């Protein structure tokens, strides 16, 4: 769910997935300022049998994970939750990319299942009003994203697809 006010926004959701044969369930809430810079990310739930309760903070380009400073992601403006495509919304909204334009960014990437925060070089190329080509790893990973007018991802290549309650399980 995306909520926006004059000087802030929040993005929240819940994901269920399998990782290494075990079930995982994570709920997240991300907040940011009016310029679409990430300020906090809260992640709770479980990965297999391991409980997860994380608080990530960003302030003036400095990041912390559960109170510990993470120097490797210094200067990043966006959080990338590796378990959900929803965070692609953040650079898409922040950058205002035009059709045909390609923009490179570096995100603070929350990897799972190991739960670590590291830098991830990414690029977004707007290929249509509702589509972006996402690349990371120097182009070793590429996926086309279909997005709503809000920037929320509707589909992420053949990896993920939005399902509404009326669509059923």
């Amino acid at each position: 769910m995306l909520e926006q006010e004059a000087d802030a926004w929040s993005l929240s959701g819940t994901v269920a997935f399998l990782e290494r044969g075990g079930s995982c369930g994570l709920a997240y809430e991300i907040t940011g300022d009016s310029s679409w810079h990430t300020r906090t990310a809260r992640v709770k739930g479980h990965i297999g049998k391991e409980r997860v309760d994380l608080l990530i903070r960003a302030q003036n380009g400095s990041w912390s994970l559960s109170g510990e400073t993470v120097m490797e992601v210094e200067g990043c403006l966006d959080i990338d939750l590796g378990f959900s495509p929803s965070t692609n919304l953040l650079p898409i909204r922040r950058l205002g990319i035009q059709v045909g334009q390609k923009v490179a960014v570096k995100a603070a990437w929350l990897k799972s299942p190991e739960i670590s925060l590291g830098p991830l070089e990414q690029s977004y190329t707007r290929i249509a009003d509702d589509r972006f080509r996402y690349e990371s790893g120097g182009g070793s990973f590429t996926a086309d994203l279909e997005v709503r007018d809000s920037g929320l991802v509707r589909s992420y290549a053949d990896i993920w697809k939005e399902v509404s309650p009326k669509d059923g399980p």
Side-chain angles (χ1 to χ4, degrees):
M1 173 186 287
L2 177 62
E3 296 182 41
Q4 204 171 348
E5 297 177 18
D7 59 349
W9 54 265
S10 67
L11 175 65
S12 60
T14 304
V15 296
F17 57 99
L18 294 175
E19 183 72 50
R20 296 185 184 159
S23 68
C24 305
L26 297 170
Y28 61 90
E29 182 172 2
I30 303 166
T31 63
D33 65 19
S34 61
S35 297
W36 293 93
H37 299 134
T38 301
R39 292 294 172 240
T40 64
R42 180 70 147 182
V43 179
K44 288 184 170 190
H46 67 93
I47 296 178
K49 294 180 181 179
E50 183 180 337
R51 301 292 309 154
V52 175
D53 188 355
L54 304 172
L55 178 60
I56 300 166
R57 292 186 186 273
Q59 185 172 10
N60 301 322
S62 295
W63 292 75
S64 66
L65 173 61
S66 297
E68 298 292 323
T69 300
V70 183
M71 297 300 296
E72 296 84 5
V73 294
E74 180 100 14
C76 294
L77 299 176
D78 308 306
I79 185 76
D80 183 322
L81 300 180
F83 56 83
S84 173
S86 66
T87 50
N88 287 283
L89 163 91
L90 307 177
I92 287 172
R93 288 295 294 261
R94 182 171 55 77
L95 297 168
I97 304 166
Q98 301 300 308
V99 174
Q101 182 182 15
K102 181 177 184 174
V103 177
V105 297
K106 183 170 72 169
W109 179 33
L110 182 65
K111 301 177 227 173
S112 66
E114 66 272 13
I115 304 299
S116 63
L117 197 61
L120 182 62
E121 301 285 339
Q122 307 172 320
S123 69
Y124 292 86
T125 304
R126 191 163 202 166
I127 55 178
D129 285 341
D130 66 344
R131 296 189 192 281
F132 290 83
R133 177 147 303 127
Y134 168 83
E135 295 179 53
S136 63
S140 64
F141 179 80
T142 302
D144 286 351
L145 313 177
E146 179 186 352
V147 300
R148 294 179 166 278
D149 289 343
S150 66
L152 283 167
V153 176
R154 295 181 72 155
S155 68
Y156 189 102
D158 59 356
I159 300 169
W160 185 91
K161 183 177 180 179
E162 173 185 65
V163 177
S164 69
K166 67 179 178 161
D167 294 332

